[in-house]
Amino acid sequence: MNIDLETFCQQAEEFISAHYPRRSARAGSEHAAVAVIPERSAAQEAAELPEAIQWRKTTFDAGFGWIDGPAEFGGRGLPPSYADAYRQLERRYAVPDEGYTRFSVGILCPTLLAHGGPELNGRYLRALRRADIVSCQLFSEPDAGSDLASVRTRAGRDGESGDSWRINGQKVWTSGAHYSEVGMLLARTEPGSRRNAGLSVFMIEMDQPGVEVRPIQQLTGGKSFSEVFLDDARVSAQSLVGEIGRGWDVINTTLRHERAVIGSDGAVDLALVPRLIDLARRHGCWDDPVVREATADIYARAQADSLMTLDFLDRAEGGMPGAEMSLSKLRLTDNLQRISALAQRILGGSFVTELDDDFGWSQLALTLAGLRIGGGTDEVLRTIVAQRVLSLPRS
């Protein structure tokens, strides 16, 4: 379908505005939470999840659910710039939180396109993009967080026919495991193999016997992450993503897309700038030149990083984000750290004592550490940038 970008944006805005109102310039209450990893109560999640899923179905059925995706799986086959334009438009409206389906849509689907094969893709791609199925990522373990080559979860062939596998092990820090129907799981399929050799990736049903999900209590009081215990859980041979023993290739693709999703979400730091200004005004320090200069620096960095990331994505070959997306994630988390530090400067002791209804900024500080670990720690990403982007020698 040929359509120019201007006409597409007009149609997209007409569609979104027919369902949801525009966001206010203040983006919510001045005392609202500003956590980069949202923490929701069970009641809030129960109310939000169905609405988020229904919005995915509505957008998909209207032709906006996979704008740059292949037509055979319900996509429109338009350039990535159209998908980015739609995302920019959608952020102006009070649509449901996309965090519930972010992994399914932005990370798992492109990974399956690259490694899944016809059967898996036919089974999952349309369903994931439409939120008929919600998924999670089962990679990290208690002793293998940033170092995924150290995973110990085992997958052994089940029976003489070898048409299924039994999974045993433990995963941790899994976002959304408690409401996901399927998971993308990394396991060691070659006994005695070491490091990144002998690893394989499977799609696994989360509601089967042998899969136990236990929520993890956060510093902020939320339970958005879980640990998952696998005791003879089964997956079929048809659930394999990629090739046996070549799981490292699959997870590299997954992590590239994960870093692209995190790094390209420049709306996070840009959206917090008006909140910072409001905070400074309420606490009588907006005329402080140090505060104003720091705010301007944060805003300039956010704008520059957003343009840099768009350039990275435009130059991505075949839709595959390059190693440079590690820089985008680093820059985003660095700017969020600057925002947190400035909020602490403005609030002083009340940042900790919560005397003035500004606990939301404390949530930013408490959740930021998790963002700097998820998708690769700062140290890992700096090494990737040094070696794969700048071609510096190994130290």
Side-chain angles (χ1 to χ4, degrees):
M1 176 182 178
N2 294 323
I3 183 173
D4 63 86
L5 184 58
E6 183 177 355
T7 302
F8 170 83
C9 289
Q10 181 180 352
Q11 293 177 357
E13 188 149 23
E14 289 174 356
F15 164 71
I16 301 170
S17 63
H19 292 84
Y20 290 96
R22 274 182 171 266
R23 296 186 188 276
S24 67
R26 296 171 70 93
S29 166
E30 63 189 10
H31 301 310
V34 291
V36 292
I37 302 176
E39 296 288 359
R40 309 170 182 88
S41 67
Q44 183 182 8
E45 191 174 88
E48 290 180 354
L49 180 58
E51 187 179 8
I53 290 175
Q54 184 56 51
W55 179 235
R56 285 300 312 172
K57 296 181 188 298
T58 301
T59 57
F60 189 91
D61 294 344
F64 296 103
W66 202 355
I67 294 162
D68 55 347
E72 63 184 302
F73 301 118
R76 293 178 64 173
L78 294 172
S81 56
Y82 284 60
D84 182 68
Y86 179 83
R87 285 192 294 269
Q88 297 298 327
L89 282 171
E90 197 177 52
R91 285 168 179 163
R92 301 175 188 173
Y93 290 83
V95 300
D97 185 358
E98 65 174 6
Y100 291 103
T101 58
R102 182 176 286 120
F103 173 72
S104 299
V105 170
I107 302 172
L108 179 53
C109 280
T111 300
L112 288 175
L113 266 180
H115 300 280
E119 183 172 344
L120 270 186
N121 290 347
R123 190 193 316 173
Y124 287 116
L125 285 180
R126 181 185 292 267
L128 288 166
R129 292 294 305 203
R130 195 175 180 270
D132 296 326
I133 297 174
V134 179
S135 63
C136 61
Q137 177 178 291
L138 299 162
F139 283 6
S140 295
E141 298 181 8
D143 296 318
S146 298
D147 182 16
L148 289 177
S150 298
V151 296
R152 297 182 180 179
T153 294
R154 307 179 311 282
R157 290 194 182 273
D158 185 28
E160 295 181 1
S161 63
D163 60 352
S164 63
W165 297 75
R166 288 194 179 273
I167 313 293
N168 288 276
Q170 179 186 355
K171 299 295 180 177
V172 75
W173 305 118
T174 303
S175 302
H178 55 296
Y179 57 74
S180 294
E181 287 99 351
V182 298
M184 185 184 193
L185 177 138
L186 176 67
R188 193 166 295 281
T189 48
E190 296 179 14
S193 61
R194 296 176 58 82
R195 303 301 298 162
N196 58 359
L199 298 172
S200 302
V201 174
F202 300 90
M203 298 297 298
I204 184 171
E205 303 292 327
M206 296 294 291
D207 61 351
Q208 65 172 290
V211 177
E212 180 184 0
V213 178
R214 299 180 190 173
I216 301 173
Q217 185 81 32
Q218 306 293 304
L219 283 170
T220 53
K223 296 180 180 179
S224 62
F225 296 104
S226 296
E227 52 185 344
V228 180
F229 295 87
L230 303 141
D231 183 11
D232 276 345
R234 295 186 64 182
V235 295
S236 68
Q238 290 72 38
S239 297
L240 176 70
V241 183
E243 301 177 25
I244 288 291
R246 298 295 299 275
W248 195 249
D249 297 337
V250 179
I251 67 166
N252 272 322
T253 298
T254 305
L255 291 175
R256 282 193 180 192
H257 285 289
E258 182 176 13
R259 291 159 189 163
V261 166
I262 298 173
S264 62
D265 198 2
V268 174
D269 47 355
L270 280 174
L272 290 179
V273 172
R275 300 276 296 276
L276 270 177
I277 296 172
D278 286 343
L279 184 70
R281 284 174 173 162
R282 287 191 290 109
H283 287 266
C285 58
W286 180 235
D287 291 331
D288 184 337
V290 175
V291 172
R292 294 174 74 98
E293 181 178 354
T295 304
D297 179 59
I298 288 167
Y299 179 76
R301 288 172 180 272
Q303 290 283 17
D305 295 346
S306 178
L307 292 172
M308 176 190 71
T309 299
L310 286 176
D311 181 60
F312 289 163
L313 293 175
D314 285 343
R315 291 191 282 115
E317 296 183 6
M320 173 67 74
E324 63 271 12
M325 287 305 301
S326 296
L327 182 59
S328 295
K329 179 179 182 287
L330 278 170
R331 296 280 294 179
L332 174 63
T333 53
D334 176 73
N335 212 27
L336 289 171
Q337 186 65 57
R338 293 171 186 272
I339 291 172
S340 179
L342 181 55
Q344 293 178 53
R345 177 187 178 91
I346 293 169
L347 288 168
S350 62
F351 186 87
V352 176
T353 58
E354 310 164 30
L355 296 179
D356 65 351
D357 271 344
D358 282 305
F359 176 58
W361 293 100
S362 296
Q363 285 184 297
L364 173 62
L366 292 174
T367 58
L368 184 54
L371 188 67
R372 302 187 79 157
I373 294 172
T377 64
D378 289 358
E379 293 76 12
V380 168
L381 298 187
R382 290 191 183 101
T383 299
I384 291 173
V385 171
Q387 294 178 356
R388 302 182 193 175
V389 180
L390 301 177
S391 299
L392 297 177
R394 293 178 178 270
S395 58

PDB file of all heavy atoms in Angstrom, residues 294-312:
ATOM      1  N   ALA A 294      21.680  23.298  34.781  1.00  0.00           N
ATOM      2  CA  ALA A 294      21.608  21.838  34.792  1.00  0.00           C
ATOM      3  C   ALA A 294      20.374  21.342  34.039  1.00  0.00           C
ATOM      4  O   ALA A 294      20.440  20.339  33.308  1.00  0.00           O
ATOM      5  CB  ALA A 294      21.577  21.337  36.230  1.00  0.00           C
ATOM      6  N   THR A 295      19.253  22.054  34.188  1.00  0.00           N
ATOM      7  CA  THR A 295      18.036  21.676  33.466  1.00  0.00           C
ATOM      8  C   THR A 295      18.215  21.828  31.964  1.00  0.00           C
ATOM      9  O   THR A 295      17.815  20.961  31.179  1.00  0.00           O
ATOM     10  CB  THR A 295      16.844  22.527  33.941  1.00  0.00           C
ATOM     11  OG1 THR A 295      16.700  22.403  35.365  1.00  0.00           O
ATOM     12  CG2 THR A 295      15.557  22.074  33.265  1.00  0.00           C
ATOM     13  N   ALA A 296      18.823  22.935  31.557  1.00  0.00           N
ATOM     14  CA  ALA A 296      19.074  23.161  30.129  1.00  0.00           C
ATOM     15  C   ALA A 296      20.006  22.092  29.568  1.00  0.00           C
ATOM     16  O   ALA A 296      19.820  21.615  28.439  1.00  0.00           O
ATOM     17  CB  ALA A 296      19.670  24.550  29.916  1.00  0.00           C
ATOM     18  N   ASP A 297      21.006  21.703  30.348  1.00  0.00           N
ATOM     19  CA  ASP A 297      21.940  20.663  29.916  1.00  0.00           C
ATOM     20  C   ASP A 297      21.219  19.332  29.726  1.00  0.00           C
ATOM     21  O   ASP A 297      21.448  18.626  28.733  1.00  0.00           O
ATOM     22  CB  ASP A 297      23.054  20.526  30.952  1.00  0.00           C
ATOM     23  CG  ASP A 297      24.065  19.446  30.577  1.00  0.00           C
ATOM     24  OD1 ASP A 297      24.674  19.559  29.497  1.00  0.00           O
ATOM     25  OD2 ASP A 297      24.229  18.494  31.349  1.00  0.00           O
ATOM     26  N   ILE A 298      20.336  18.994  30.656  1.00  0.00           N
ATOM     27  CA  ILE A 298      19.563  17.752  30.556  1.00  0.00           C
ATOM     28  C   ILE A 298      18.695  17.765  29.305  1.00  0.00           C
ATOM     29  O   ILE A 298      18.627  16.782  28.552  1.00  0.00           O
ATOM     30  CB  ILE A 298      18.702  17.563  31.818  1.00  0.00           C
ATOM     31  CG1 ILE A 298      19.591  17.187  33.010  1.00  0.00           C
ATOM     32  CG2 ILE A 298      17.618  16.510  31.597  1.00  0.00           C
ATOM     33  CD1 ILE A 298      18.898  17.286  34.349  1.00  0.00           C
ATOM     34  N   TYR A 299      18.028  18.901  29.057  1.00  0.00           N
ATOM     35  CA  TYR A 299      17.149  19.013  27.889  1.00  0.00           C
ATOM     36  C   TYR A 299      17.944  18.892  26.587  1.00  0.00           C
ATOM     37  O   TYR A 299      17.535  18.175  25.659  1.00  0.00           O
ATOM     38  CB  TYR A 299      16.420  20.352  27.926  1.00  0.00           C
ATOM     39  CG  TYR A 299      15.513  20.574  26.740  1.00  0.00           C
ATOM     40  CD1 TYR A 299      14.278  19.941  26.645  1.00  0.00           C
ATOM     41  CD2 TYR A 299      15.898  21.418  25.700  1.00  0.00           C
ATOM     42  CE1 TYR A 299      13.442  20.135  25.556  1.00  0.00           C
ATOM     43  CE2 TYR A 299      15.078  21.619  24.604  1.00  0.00           C
ATOM     44  CZ  TYR A 299      13.847  20.982  24.537  1.00  0.00           C
ATOM     45  OH  TYR A 299      13.035  21.171  23.454  1.00  0.00           O
ATOM     46  N   ALA A 300      19.089  19.572  26.520  1.00  0.00           N
ATOM     47  CA  ALA A 300      19.916  19.526  25.310  1.00  0.00           C
ATOM     48  C   ALA A 300      20.417  18.107  25.054  1.00  0.00           C
ATOM     49  O   ALA A 300      20.434  17.628  23.907  1.00  0.00           O
ATOM     50  CB  ALA A 300      21.090  20.488  25.435  1.00  0.00           C
ATOM     51  N   ARG A 301      20.842  17.428  26.115  1.00  0.00           N
ATOM     52  CA  ARG A 301      21.304  16.045  25.963  1.00  0.00           C
ATOM     53  C   ARG A 301      20.183  15.138  25.469  1.00  0.00           C
ATOM     54  O   ARG A 301      20.394  14.281  24.604  1.00  0.00           O
ATOM     55  CB  ARG A 301      21.845  15.517  27.300  1.00  0.00           C
ATOM     56  CG  ARG A 301      23.190  16.118  27.705  1.00  0.00           C
ATOM     57  CD  ARG A 301      23.579  15.708  29.122  1.00  0.00           C
ATOM     58  NE  ARG A 301      24.856  16.284  29.511  1.00  0.00           N
ATOM     59  CZ  ARG A 301      26.038  15.718  29.289  1.00  0.00           C
ATOM     60  NH1 ARG A 301      26.096  14.528  28.689  1.00  0.00           N
ATOM     61  NH2 ARG A 301      27.146  16.306  29.672  1.00  0.00           N
ATOM     62  N   ALA A 302      18.984  15.311  26.017  1.00  0.00           N
ATOM     63  CA  ALA A 302      17.856  14.480  25.617  1.00  0.00           C
ATOM     64  C   ALA A 302      17.529  14.678  24.142  1.00  0.00           C
ATOM     65  O   ALA A 302      17.278  13.702  23.405  1.00  0.00           O
ATOM     66  CB  ALA A 302      16.637  14.793  26.480  1.00  0.00           C
ATOM     67  N   GLN A 303      17.532  15.936  23.693  1.00  0.00           N
ATOM     68  CA  GLN A 303      17.236  16.208  22.284  1.00  0.00           C
ATOM     69  C   GLN A 303      18.327  15.642  21.379  1.00  0.00           C
ATOM     70  O   GLN A 303      18.038  15.022  20.346  1.00  0.00           O
ATOM     71  CB  GLN A 303      17.107  17.724  22.064  1.00  0.00           C
ATOM     72  CG  GLN A 303      15.873  18.351  22.690  1.00  0.00           C
ATOM     73  CD  GLN A 303      14.611  18.071  21.878  1.00  0.00           C
ATOM     74  OE1 GLN A 303      14.571  17.175  21.044  1.00  0.00           O
ATOM     75  NE2 GLN A 303      13.572  18.841  22.133  1.00  0.00           N
ATOM     76  N   ALA A 304      19.580  15.851  21.746  1.00  0.00           N
ATOM     77  CA  ALA A 304      20.695  15.365  20.928  1.00  0.00           C
ATOM     78  C   ALA A 304      20.707  13.843  20.868  1.00  0.00           C
ATOM     79  O   ALA A 304      20.921  13.254  19.795  1.00  0.00           O
ATOM     80  CB  ALA A 304      22.018  15.887  21.485  1.00  0.00           C
ATOM     81  N   ASP A 305      20.467  13.206  22.010  1.00  0.00           N
ATOM     82  CA  ASP A 305      20.471  11.743  22.042  1.00  0.00           C
ATOM     83  C   ASP A 305      19.328  11.172  21.210  1.00  0.00           C
ATOM     84  O   ASP A 305      19.475  10.123  20.556  1.00  0.00           O
ATOM     85  CB  ASP A 305      20.372  11.239  23.481  1.00  0.00           C
ATOM     86  CG  ASP A 305      21.590  11.619  24.310  1.00  0.00           C
ATOM     87  OD1 ASP A 305      22.599  12.019  23.712  1.00  0.00           O
ATOM     88  OD2 ASP A 305      21.514  11.517  25.548  1.00  0.00           O
ATOM     89  N   SER A 306      18.176  11.835  21.236  1.00  0.00           N
ATOM     90  CA  SER A 306      17.039  11.383  20.447  1.00  0.00           C
ATOM     91  C   SER A 306      17.354  11.429  18.951  1.00  0.00           C
ATOM     92  O   SER A 306      17.073  10.476  18.208  1.00  0.00           O
ATOM     93  CB  SER A 306      15.813  12.246  20.756  1.00  0.00           C
ATOM     94  OG  SER A 306      14.707  11.852  19.974  1.00  0.00           O
ATOM     95  N   LEU A 307      17.972  12.508  18.507  1.00  0.00           N
ATOM     96  CA  LEU A 307      18.344  12.637  17.094  1.00  0.00           C
ATOM     97  C   LEU A 307      19.417  11.612  16.716  1.00  0.00           C
ATOM     98  O   LEU A 307      19.376  11.021  15.631  1.00  0.00           O
ATOM     99  CB  LEU A 307      18.836  14.048  16.809  1.00  0.00           C
ATOM    100  CG  LEU A 307      17.771  15.152  16.906  1.00  0.00           C
ATOM    101  CD1 LEU A 307      18.412  16.530  16.787  1.00  0.00           C
ATOM    102  CD2 LEU A 307      16.712  14.970  15.824  1.00  0.00           C
ATOM    103  N   MET A 308      20.371  11.399  17.613  1.00  0.00           N
ATOM    104  CA  MET A 308      21.415  10.414  17.366  1.00  0.00           C
ATOM    105  C   MET A 308      20.817   9.021  17.200  1.00  0.00           C
ATOM    106  O   MET A 308      21.175   8.269  16.272  1.00  0.00           O
ATOM    107  CB  MET A 308      22.420  10.411  18.525  1.00  0.00           C
ATOM    108  CG  MET A 308      23.508   9.342  18.421  1.00  0.00           C
ATOM    109  SD  MET A 308      24.477   9.191  19.951  1.00  0.00           S
ATOM    110  CE  MET A 308      23.259   8.423  21.046  1.00  0.00           C
ATOM    111  N   THR A 309      19.882   8.681  18.071  1.00  0.00           N
ATOM    112  CA  THR A 309      19.281   7.352  18.029  1.00  0.00           C
ATOM    113  C   THR A 309      18.444   7.166  16.770  1.00  0.00           C
ATOM    114  O   THR A 309      18.462   6.096  16.157  1.00  0.00           O
ATOM    115  CB  THR A 309      18.413   7.130  19.279  1.00  0.00           C
ATOM    116  OG1 THR A 309      19.245   7.221  20.436  1.00  0.00           O
ATOM    117  CG2 THR A 309      17.746   5.763  19.245  1.00  0.00           C
ATOM    118  N   LEU A 310      17.705   8.199  16.376  1.00  0.00           N
ATOM    119  CA  LEU A 310      16.935   8.113  15.134  1.00  0.00           C
ATOM    120  C   LEU A 310      17.857   7.863  13.945  1.00  0.00           C
ATOM    121  O   LEU A 310      17.518   7.094  13.035  1.00  0.00           O
ATOM    122  CB  LEU A 310      16.134   9.404  14.921  1.00  0.00           C
ATOM    123  CG  LEU A 310      14.913   9.593  15.820  1.00  0.00           C
ATOM    124  CD1 LEU A 310      14.281  10.960  15.573  1.00  0.00           C
ATOM    125  CD2 LEU A 310      13.887   8.493  15.578  1.00  0.00           C
ATOM    126  N   ASP A 311      19.019   8.491  13.956  1.00  0.00           N
ATOM    127  CA  ASP A 311      19.989   8.263  12.879  1.00  0.00           C
ATOM    128  C   ASP A 311      20.487   6.819  12.898  1.00  0.00           C
ATOM    129  O   ASP A 311      20.616   6.185  11.842  1.00  0.00           O
ATOM    130  CB  ASP A 311      21.166   9.230  13.029  1.00  0.00           C
ATOM    131  CG  ASP A 311      22.192   9.061  11.924  1.00  0.00           C
ATOM    132  OD1 ASP A 311      21.832   9.229  10.742  1.00  0.00           O
ATOM    133  OD2 ASP A 311      23.359   8.755  12.230  1.00  0.00           O
ATOM    134  N   PHE A 312      20.758   6.295  14.107  1.00  0.00           N
ATOM    135  CA  PHE A 312      21.177   4.894  14.220  1.00  0.00           C
ATOM    136  C   PHE A 312      20.123   3.961  13.624  1.00  0.00           C
ATOM    137  O   PHE A 312      20.433   3.030  12.887  1.00  0.00           O
ATOM    138  CB  PHE A 312      21.408   4.514  15.681  1.00  0.00           C
ATOM    139  CG  PHE A 312      22.631   5.132  16.303  1.00  0.00           C
ATOM    140  CD1 PHE A 312      22.765   5.173  17.682  1.00  0.00           C
ATOM    141  CD2 PHE A 312      23.640   5.669  15.532  1.00  0.00           C
ATOM    142  CE1 PHE A 312      23.888   5.723  18.273  1.00  0.00           C
ATOM    143  CE2 PHE A 312      24.773   6.229  16.106  1.00  0.00           C
ATOM    144  CZ  PHE A 312      24.891   6.249  17.475  1.00  0.00           C
TER     145      PHE A 312
END
